[in-house]
Amino acid sequence: QVQLVQSGSEVTKPGASVKVSCKASGYSFTGYHMQWVRQAPGQGLQWMGRINPNSGGTNYAQEFQGRVTMTRDTSIRTAYMELNSLTSDDTAIYYCARVYCTERCYNALHIWGQGTLVTVSS
Amino acid sequence: QSALTQPASVSGSPGQSITISCSGTSSDIGNYNHVSWYQQHPGKVPKLMIYDVSSRPSGVSSRFSASKSGNTASLTISGLQAEDEADYFCSSYTSGGSSWLFGGGTKLTVL
Protein backbone atom coordinates (compact mmCIF):
# COMPACT_ATOMS: atom_id res chain seq x y z
CA GLN A 1 0.00 0.00 0.00
CA VAL A 2 0.98 3.66 -0.31
CA GLN A 3 3.23 4.45 2.61
CA LEU A 4 5.73 7.01 3.87
CA VAL A 5 8.18 5.88 6.54
CA GLN A 6 10.31 8.46 8.31
CA SER A 7 13.54 8.25 10.26
CA GLY A 8 13.57 8.08 14.03
CA SER A 9 13.52 10.74 16.73
CA GLU A 10 16.43 13.13 17.07
CA VAL A 11 17.82 15.09 20.01
CA THR A 12 20.14 17.88 19.05
CA LYS A 13 21.66 21.09 20.42
CA PRO A 14 20.96 24.72 19.59
CA GLY A 15 22.90 25.85 16.56
CA ALA A 16 23.15 22.37 15.12
CA SER A 17 21.42 20.85 12.09
CA VAL A 18 19.05 17.92 11.68
CA LYS A 19 18.25 15.81 8.63
CA VAL A 20 15.03 13.81 8.45
CA SER A 21 14.39 11.15 5.85
CA CYS A 22 11.12 9.94 4.32
CA LYS A 23 11.01 6.69 2.35
CA ALA A 24 8.12 6.21 -0.05
CA SER A 25 6.60 2.94 -1.17
CA GLY A 26 3.53 1.75 -3.05
CA TYR A 27 3.45 4.50 -5.67
CA SER A 28 5.58 6.28 -8.25
CA PHE A 29 8.01 8.29 -6.11
CA THR A 30 8.88 10.71 -8.90
CA GLY A 31 5.25 11.32 -9.81
CA TYR A 32 4.22 13.39 -6.81
CA HIS A 33 5.70 16.33 -4.92
CA MET A 34 6.74 15.59 -1.35
CA GLN A 35 5.55 18.13 1.19
CA TRP A 36 7.06 18.80 4.61
CA VAL A 37 4.95 20.02 7.52
CA ARG A 38 5.86 20.47 11.17
CA GLN A 39 3.89 20.63 14.41
CA ALA A 40 5.31 22.12 17.58
CA PRO A 41 4.10 20.55 20.87
CA GLY A 42 0.46 21.41 21.43
CA GLN A 43 0.45 23.69 18.40
CA GLY A 44 -0.96 23.76 14.89
CA LEU A 45 0.52 22.61 11.62
CA GLN A 46 3.05 24.64 9.63
CA TRP A 47 3.93 24.05 5.99
CA MET A 48 7.69 24.13 5.41
CA GLY A 49 8.03 23.46 1.72
CA ARG A 50 8.02 20.83 -0.99
CA ILE A 51 10.29 19.04 -3.39
CA ASN A 52 9.59 17.69 -6.86
CA PRO A 53 11.28 14.27 -6.69
CA ASN A 54 11.46 14.12 -10.49
CA SER A 55 13.39 17.36 -11.08
CA GLY A 56 14.69 18.07 -7.59
CA GLY A 57 13.09 21.51 -7.75
CA THR A 58 12.03 23.00 -4.43
CA ASN A 59 9.71 25.63 -2.97
CA TYR A 60 10.27 26.74 0.60
CA ALA A 61 8.02 28.70 2.94
CA GLN A 62 9.37 32.20 3.52
CA GLU A 63 9.82 31.49 7.22
CA PHE A 64 12.37 28.79 6.43
CA GLN A 65 14.18 30.30 3.45
CA GLY A 66 17.94 30.07 3.94
CA ARG A 67 17.65 27.54 6.74
CA VAL A 68 16.00 24.53 5.12
CA THR A 69 17.18 22.26 2.33
CA MET A 70 15.04 19.55 0.76
CA THR A 71 16.66 16.88 -1.37
CA ARG A 72 15.87 13.42 -2.68
CA ASP A 73 17.53 10.19 -3.78
CA THR A 74 15.36 8.58 -6.44
CA SER A 75 17.40 5.36 -6.40
CA ILE A 76 16.11 4.59 -2.91
CA ARG A 77 12.79 6.47 -3.17
CA THR A 78 13.68 8.73 -0.27
CA ALA A 79 13.18 12.44 0.39
CA TYR A 80 15.17 14.43 2.92
CA MET A 81 14.57 17.62 4.88
CA GLU A 82 17.53 19.32 6.55
CA LEU A 83 17.06 22.25 8.92
CA ASN A 84 20.00 24.35 10.10
CA SER A 85 20.73 26.78 12.93
CA LEU A 86 18.29 25.06 15.22
CA THR A 87 16.76 26.77 18.25
CA SER A 88 14.39 25.50 20.90
CA ASP A 89 11.54 26.88 18.77
CA ASP A 90 12.32 24.19 16.21
CA THR A 91 11.36 21.44 18.65
CA ALA A 92 8.49 19.77 16.82
CA ILE A 93 7.22 16.71 15.03
CA TYR A 94 8.24 16.86 11.38
CA TYR A 95 6.03 15.14 8.81
CA CYS A 96 6.46 14.33 5.15
CA ALA A 97 3.21 14.08 3.22
CA ARG A 98 1.75 13.53 -0.23
CA VAL A 99 -1.33 15.07 -1.74
CA TYR A 100 -4.65 13.30 -2.32
CA CYS A 101 -5.08 11.85 -5.79
CA THR A 102 -7.86 10.06 -7.59
CA GLU A 103 -8.08 10.60 -11.33
CA ARG A 104 -6.33 13.87 -10.60
CA CYS A 105 -4.52 15.32 -7.63
CA TYR A 106 -5.79 17.90 -5.17
CA ASN A 107 -4.19 20.47 -2.87
CA ALA A 108 -4.82 18.45 0.28
CA LEU A 109 -2.47 16.21 2.23
CA HIS A 110 -3.62 12.61 2.33
CA ILE A 111 -0.65 10.31 2.82
CA TRP A 112 1.44 11.18 5.88
CA GLY A 113 4.61 9.78 7.33
CA GLN A 114 4.46 8.71 10.95
CA GLY A 115 6.30 11.86 12.01
CA THR A 116 9.79 12.45 13.39
CA LEU A 117 10.18 14.16 16.74
CA VAL A 118 13.08 16.60 16.76
CA THR A 119 14.03 17.94 20.17
CA VAL A 120 16.41 20.88 20.39
CA SER A 121 17.87 21.23 23.85
CA SER A 122 21.14 22.26 25.40
CA GLN B 1 2.18 35.11 7.03
CA SER B 2 -0.52 34.67 9.70
CA ALA B 3 -2.15 31.36 10.23
CA LEU B 4 -5.85 30.88 9.62
CA THR B 5 -8.03 31.62 12.66
CA GLN B 6 -10.01 28.89 14.37
CA PRO B 7 -11.77 28.80 17.75
CA ALA B 8 -9.63 27.08 20.36
CA SER B 9 -12.38 24.72 21.41
CA VAL B 10 -15.93 23.61 20.72
CA SER B 11 -18.08 21.02 22.42
CA GLY B 12 -21.28 19.12 21.87
CA SER B 13 -23.27 16.18 23.14
CA PRO B 14 -23.60 12.87 21.33
CA GLY B 15 -26.08 13.12 18.49
CA GLN B 16 -25.83 16.88 18.22
CA SER B 17 -24.21 18.91 15.44
CA ILE B 18 -21.32 21.32 15.78
CA THR B 19 -19.66 23.75 13.41
CA ILE B 20 -16.03 24.86 13.42
CA SER B 21 -15.13 28.08 11.65
CA CYS B 22 -11.89 28.96 9.91
CA SER B 23 -11.22 32.58 9.05
CA GLY B 24 -8.75 33.71 6.44
CA THR B 25 -8.30 36.52 3.95
CA SER B 26 -8.84 37.32 0.30
CA SER B 27 -5.36 35.95 -0.39
CA ASP B 28 -6.20 32.45 0.76
CA ILE B 29 -9.69 31.16 1.61
CA GLY B 30 -11.39 33.99 -0.24
CA ASN B 31 -9.43 33.43 -3.43
CA TYR B 32 -9.07 29.67 -3.73
CA ASN B 33 -11.32 26.64 -3.48
CA HIS B 34 -8.44 24.65 -2.03
CA VAL B 35 -9.66 24.49 1.55
CA SER B 36 -9.11 21.25 3.42
CA TRP B 37 -9.84 19.95 6.91
CA TYR B 38 -7.90 17.47 9.03
CA GLN B 39 -8.77 15.42 12.10
CA GLN B 40 -6.02 14.54 14.56
CA HIS B 41 -6.41 12.30 17.57
CA PRO B 42 -3.82 12.65 20.36
CA GLY B 43 -0.49 11.20 19.35
CA LYS B 44 -1.73 10.34 15.87
CA VAL B 45 -1.07 11.57 12.36
CA PRO B 46 -3.51 14.09 10.83
CA LYS B 47 -6.25 12.54 8.72
CA LEU B 48 -7.73 14.30 5.69
CA MET B 49 -11.48 14.75 6.14
CA ILE B 50 -12.40 17.36 3.51
CA TYR B 51 -10.69 18.68 0.39
CA ASP B 52 -11.60 21.37 -2.15
CA VAL B 53 -13.91 23.12 0.34
CA SER B 54 -16.58 20.44 0.58
CA SER B 55 -15.47 17.12 -0.94
CA ARG B 56 -14.88 14.01 1.17
CA PRO B 57 -12.17 11.46 0.42
CA SER B 58 -13.40 7.92 0.12
CA GLY B 59 -13.98 6.35 3.50
CA VAL B 60 -14.82 9.56 5.36
CA SER B 61 -18.23 9.57 6.99
CA SER B 62 -21.01 11.68 5.44
CA ARG B 63 -21.55 13.13 8.90
CA PHE B 64 -18.69 15.44 8.01
CA SER B 65 -19.58 18.33 5.71
CA ALA B 66 -18.01 21.67 4.94
CA SER B 67 -18.55 24.91 3.08
CA LYS B 68 -17.08 28.32 2.43
CA SER B 69 -18.46 31.85 2.36
CA GLY B 70 -16.18 34.74 1.51
CA ASN B 71 -13.03 34.49 3.58
CA THR B 72 -14.44 31.97 6.05
CA ALA B 73 -14.68 28.20 5.78
CA SER B 74 -16.72 25.95 8.06
CA LEU B 75 -16.71 22.29 9.03
CA THR B 76 -19.89 20.72 10.36
CA ILE B 77 -20.06 17.40 12.14
CA SER B 78 -23.55 16.00 12.55
CA GLY B 79 -24.68 13.17 14.80
CA LEU B 80 -21.68 13.63 17.09
CA GLN B 81 -20.03 10.46 18.30
CA ALA B 82 -17.47 9.91 21.03
CA GLU B 83 -14.87 8.97 18.40
CA ASP B 84 -15.17 12.45 16.87
CA GLU B 85 -13.41 13.93 19.88
CA ALA B 86 -10.13 15.20 18.42
CA ASP B 87 -8.33 18.29 17.16
CA TYR B 88 -9.44 19.71 13.82
CA PHE B 89 -7.28 21.84 11.54
CA CYS B 90 -8.27 23.81 8.48
CA SER B 91 -5.91 24.60 5.62
CA SER B 92 -5.96 26.75 2.53
CA TYR B 93 -3.78 27.31 -0.46
CA THR B 94 -2.45 30.87 -0.47
CA SER B 95 -0.89 33.25 -2.95
CA GLY B 96 1.48 34.48 -0.27
CA GLY B 97 5.01 33.32 0.43
CA SER B 98 3.83 30.03 1.83
CA SER B 99 1.87 27.78 -0.45
CA TRP B 100 -0.27 26.44 2.35
CA LEU B 101 -1.59 27.97 5.52
CA PHE B 102 -3.04 26.05 8.43
CA GLY B 103 -5.31 27.06 11.25
CA GLY B 104 -4.20 26.82 14.84
CA GLY B 105 -6.57 23.96 15.47
CA THR B 106 -9.85 23.46 17.34
CA LYS B 107 -10.26 20.92 20.11
CA LEU B 108 -13.62 19.17 19.88
CA THR B 109 -14.94 17.73 23.12
CA VAL B 110 -17.87 15.33 23.01
CA LEU B 111 -19.63 15.77 26.33
Side-chain angles (χ1 to χ4, degrees):
Chain A
Q1 76 278 24
V2 178
Q3 197 174 6
L4 299 173
V5 178
Q6 300 183 221
S7 48
S9 298
E10 302 260 10
V11 179
T12 186
K13 295 189 182 303
S17 299
V18 69
K19 190 171 186 177
V20 178
S21 68
C22 172
K23 184 175 179 60
S25 61
Y27 73 96
S28 171
F29 176 66
T30 54
Y32 306 88
H33 292 182
M34 189 70 76
Q35 316 284 336
W36 289 89
V37 175
R38 77 177 187 180
Q39 185 174 31
Q43 302 298 311
L45 301 165
Q46 185 179 24
W47 183 77
M48 299 181 69
R50 62 170 167 263
I51 183 168
N52 179 337
N54 188 42
S55 67
T58 55
N59 294 97
Y60 301 138
Q62 284 183 335
E63 308 91 286
F64 298 101
Q65 289 275 2
R67 211 160 65 90
V68 69
T69 303
M70 295 177 186
T71 56
R72 91 293 189 215
D73 184 336
T74 56
S75 68
I76 56 172
R77 305 166 61 85
T78 299
Y80 302 91
M81 186 285 300
E82 183 172 22
L83 190 62
N84 305 317
S85 303
L86 293 169
T87 72
S88 57
D89 289 342
D90 293 314
T91 294
I93 297 174
Y94 289 77
Y95 295 102
C96 58
R98 202 206 79 178
V99 296
Y100 179 59
C101 298
T102 55
E103 294 83 15
R104 51 159 285 203
C105 292
Y106 301 88
N107 284 312
L109 300 176
H110 186 224
I111 308 298
W112 294 72
Q114 82 275 21
T116 296
L117 175 62
V118 174
T119 303
V120 183
S121 174
S122 54
Chain B
Q1 206 160 358
S2 300
L4 305 174
T5 301
Q6 298 181 234
S9 62
V10 297
S11 62
S13 300
Q16 288 186 333
S17 295
I18 63 95
T19 296
I20 299 171
S21 62
C22 173
S23 179
T25 70
S26 58
S27 294
D28 39 73
I29 292 177
N31 198 37
Y32 298 98
N33 286 324
H34 299 308
V35 178
S36 51
W37 289 89
Y38 303 84
Q39 175 192 66
Q40 187 178 35
H41 288 107
K44 300 296 186 182
V45 172
K47 175 185 177 182
L48 178 64
M49 306 301 284
I50 296 287
Y51 67 96
D52 277 9
V53 177
S54 59
S55 296
R56 285 187 306 276
S58 59
V60 172
S61 171
S62 58
R63 296 187 299 106
F64 291 83
S65 62
S67 62
K68 183 186 87 166
S69 178
N71 297 337
T72 300
S74 299
L75 172 72
T76 297
I77 308 173
S78 58
L80 270 180
Q81 300 179 0
E83 68 208 48
D84 299 332
E85 185 163 294
D87 292 325
Y88 291 84
F89 298 92
C90 60
S91 178
S92 175
Y93 187 81
T94 176
S95 57
S98 297
S99 285
W100 276 333
L101 285 178
F102 289 91
T106 298
K107 182 176 179 57
L108 169 61
T109 300
V110 180
L111 302 170

